[in-house]
Amino acid sequence: MSIERVEDRSVAATPPMKWDAWGLAEKSTTLSDGIKGLLQQALGVTTRQTPERAAEDVVLAASAVSEDQLAALAAIVGERFCSTAHYDRLLRSGGKSTIDLLRRRSTEQQNAPDVVVIPGTEAEIAEILDYCADNSIAVVPFSGGSSAVGGLDPVRDRFDAVLSLDMRRFDSLIDLDTDSGIATLGAGLPGPRVEERLGAHGFSLGHFPQSFMFSTIGGFAATRSSGQSSAGYGRFEDMVQGLRVVTPAGILDTGRAPASAAGPDLGELFVGSEGTLGVITQVRVRVHPVPESVVREGWRFPDFETGTAALRALRHEGAVPTVLRLSDEAETGVNLATHDKIGKEAVTGGCLAITTFEGTTDHTAQRVAQARAVLQSHGATSLGEGPGNNWERGRFDAPYLRDALLDAGALVETLETATTWSNLATLRAAVTKALTESLSGQGTPPLVLCHISHTYATGASLYFTIVCAQKEDPIDQWSKAKTAAGDAIIAAGGTITHHHAVGVDHRPWMRDEIGDLGVTVLRAVKNAVDPAGILNPGKLIP
């Protein structure tokens, strides 16, 4: 039988993340005295103890939804799935960027959606969109809450109120076509549940962004996500075979065949649309059998330039691992994999690369041998499986370390970009210079770390991690640095975002990215599918 009907609704939903930090409370960490001393010595961080705040102590703007409006929305989805409660609004007041978390620590009044609605069917979503268009209510689709670029900010724009449309009930593995290797997944299904559901049938999606533990299928599609195994399995848009989207103008279902010449791919309008054009409810994705063999290996290069050339050679010669990463000298030395290993168990000198190969035993062995020959011919020294295994164990935990560093008085944030191989060194130098100059001020220069996390035939991404001492106004401090970095990225020919998406944070550079005509095209599509403009205003489209 080629088509397997699954219909296995998730019973235990992924617990929501903490309102003021990444992830789950039980996984939160603190820094050792040794690490705090290192921060003081190297970066001038004045360590502090951040007091715990109760969620009920956070001051939110009063809900702008009337009793009549609340009753009307509850009539659509049921009272159980409609709320203006303080904690429900607080949990959906934004994403998990450093700016988001710094704002949430403020004692001043904070913005939040006015009402939270959790639909269970596409018909309910359509009715909600109609009601909101008629009642001047903006709609912000919400799933895992992991946005790093302001994509979930409750922007009112010209509207009277903001509704958070929580997609958690769209959490099924709906269909699995085992012959074709295509799974149909609900948009609210989180990453771990995806692998759990598919794994029960011997398949895997293989999409593992750092936000994997909490982000969802719909979020992957809406933000053009790129996972850590992208070298082997591609970016998420490469996996998408089709999707269903509810818009204020109707429902769109894309992807009739593996390939088509029937005009432009309309699905591409919604992959990366960040909830501004419609609400993604289902995604059909390419899946593969669970790998029978996994081989990890760490490599040392004398410098970043040599390592970059080796990665480029792997791409050009077709010896591409499933995971392929290269840290620069600074990131290699610091080792941010886990909070208790900073400065320990790192490669001494040079740059660390990680490779992971997956597949059948024979095919994996062939690819490993081919890649080893290429890497060694380009100056790499094997470090065995240890570095790769260490990275694997801690690869989803970096945000917990970020939060601990924030608590200790450090400012920590990340940004990413991409460009061609020939322009990679120029772009890296320009962004590093902009960040260093912006954040130095009168104090100790920041620590700017960089790694290549995703590679392509024609180029690669650059992922920067920045650590420095917090100033009196850390939000303003980072906002100025982000602006400097964004301007440098555009001037140096990079993309303003490789996989974090646009949201609010990158919107100022969208016109530079796509041009005036590109903005006109996006606005035309927006007007066609969302004539009232209620969907996620203030994001993506200038």
Side-chain angles (χ1 to χ4, degrees), residues 348-393:
T348 303
C351 296
L352 173 67
I354 298 292
T355 60
T356 301
F357 289 87
E358 298 179 353
T360 63
T361 301
D362 289 344
H363 189 216
T364 298
Q366 293 171 5
R367 291 163 60 216
V368 167
Q370 183 183 6
R372 281 176 178 164
V374 173
L375 292 172
Q376 288 170 343
S377 70
H378 282 78
T381 302
S382 177
L383 300 173
E385 65 180 13
N389 289 339
N390 288 339
W391 172 80
E392 173 75 18
R393 284 192 292 269

Side-chain angles (χ1 to χ4, degrees), residues 433-457:
K433 181 174 184 286
L435 289 168
T436 301
E437 291 181 349
S438 175
L439 290 168
S440 290
Q442 301 301 314
T444 305
L447 182 63
V448 181
L449 316 175
C450 182
H451 67 256
I452 293 175
S453 54
H454 307 275
T455 59
Y456 307 92

Side-chain angles (χ1 to χ4, degrees), residues 234-510:
R235 293 166 57 90
F236 193 72
E237 66 259 33
D238 301 322
M239 303 174 181
V240 173
Q241 304 298 297
L243 40 75
R244 282 180 64 83
V245 187
V246 180
T247 80
I251 295 177
L252 191 70
D253 196 329
T254 73
R256 293 175 61 90
S260 171
D265 182 355
L266 296 181
E268 276 292 298
L269 290 173
F270 295 91
V271 176
S273 62
E274 302 183 29
T276 63
L277 303 180
V279 180
I280 297 171
T281 59
Q282 294 181 15
V283 186
R284 292 186 294 281
V285 291
R286 180 193 70 215
V287 295
H288 59 269
V290 173
E292 65 181 44
S293 175
V294 178
V295 178
R296 301 186 185 95
E297 192 163 9
W299 298 87
R300 180 193 176 278
F301 289 97
D303 52 58
F304 195 67
E305 182 181 5
T306 301
T308 300
L311 266 58
R312 183 174 69 245
L314 281 178
R315 271 291 178 183
H316 289 173
E317 298 188 29
V320 184
T322 306
V323 174
L324 182 59
R325 298 168 62 88
L326 173 69
S327 295
D328 70 3
E329 292 87 346
E331 185 171 281
T332 297
V334 171
N335 185 13
L336 287 178
T338 55
H339 76 280
D340 59 342
K341 292 186 175 65
I342 295 178
K344 303 175 183 177
E345 299 184 16
V347 177
T348 303
C351 296
L352 173 67
I354 298 292
T355 60
T356 301
F357 289 87
E358 298 179 353
T360 63
T361 301
D362 289 344
H363 189 216
T364 298
Q366 293 171 5
R367 291 163 60 216
V368 167
Q370 183 183 6
R372 281 176 178 164
V374 173
L375 292 172
Q376 288 170 343
S377 70
H378 282 78
T381 302
S382 177
L383 300 173
E385 65 180 13
N389 289 339
N390 288 339
W391 172 80
E392 173 75 18
R393 284 192 292 269
R395 62 176 173 161
F396 300 133
D397 292 341
Y400 292 104
L401 173 60
R402 182 272 310 264
D403 295 351
L405 288 166
L406 286 176
D407 288 341
L411 179 67
V412 189
E413 187 54 297
T414 63
L415 58 85
E416 34 70 70
T417 180
T419 190
T420 57
W421 289 113
S422 61
N423 191 47
L424 206 66
T426 299
L427 179 60
R428 176 174 171 248
V431 176
T432 300
K433 181 174 184 286
L435 289 168
T436 301
E437 291 181 349
S438 175
L439 290 168
S440 290
Q442 301 301 314
T444 305
L447 182 63
V448 181
L449 316 175
C450 182
H451 67 256
I452 293 175
S453 54
H454 307 275
T455 59
Y456 307 92
T458 57
S461 69
L462 292 172
Y463 189 97
F464 295 87
T465 300
I466 304 93
V467 188
C468 63
Q470 287 185 29
K471 294 183 178 179
E472 185 176 347
D473 185 349
I475 292 178
D476 180 68
Q477 180 186 5
W478 175 248
S479 296
K480 289 177 178 177
K482 177 73 171 181
T483 297
D487 289 345
I489 286 170
I490 294 299
T495 176
I496 195 60
T497 177
H498 170 262
H499 60 268
H500 280 176
V502 177
V504 170
D505 294 2
H506 294 141
R507 188 169 175 245
W509 293 279
M510 272 298 284

Side-chain angles (χ1 to χ4, degrees), residues 133-157:
D134 292 340
N135 287 271
S136 188
I137 300 174
V139 177
V140 179
F142 186 97
S143 292
S146 63
S147 172
V149 292
L152 300 175
D153 287 2
V155 176
R156 280 173 174 74
D157 197 27

Side-chain angles (χ1 to χ4, degrees), residues 496-526:
I496 195 60
T497 177
H498 170 262
H499 60 268
H500 280 176
V502 177
V504 170
D505 294 2
H506 294 141
R507 188 169 175 245
W509 293 279
M510 272 298 284
R511 191 176 295 275
D512 297 302
E513 179 91 14
I514 64 175
D516 291 341
L517 181 58
V519 172
T520 299
V521 171
L522 281 182
R523 288 178 177 173
V525 176
K526 173 78 168 175

Side-chain angles (χ1 to χ4, degrees), residues 102-126:
L102 290 171
R103 283 175 181 158
R104 252 160 256 168
R105 296 169 186 218
S106 171
T107 57
E108 298 179 0
Q109 179 176 281
Q110 300 185 33
N111 200 9
D114 299 286
V115 61
V116 175
V117 176
I118 311 176
T121 66
E122 290 180 345
E124 289 178 355
I125 294 175

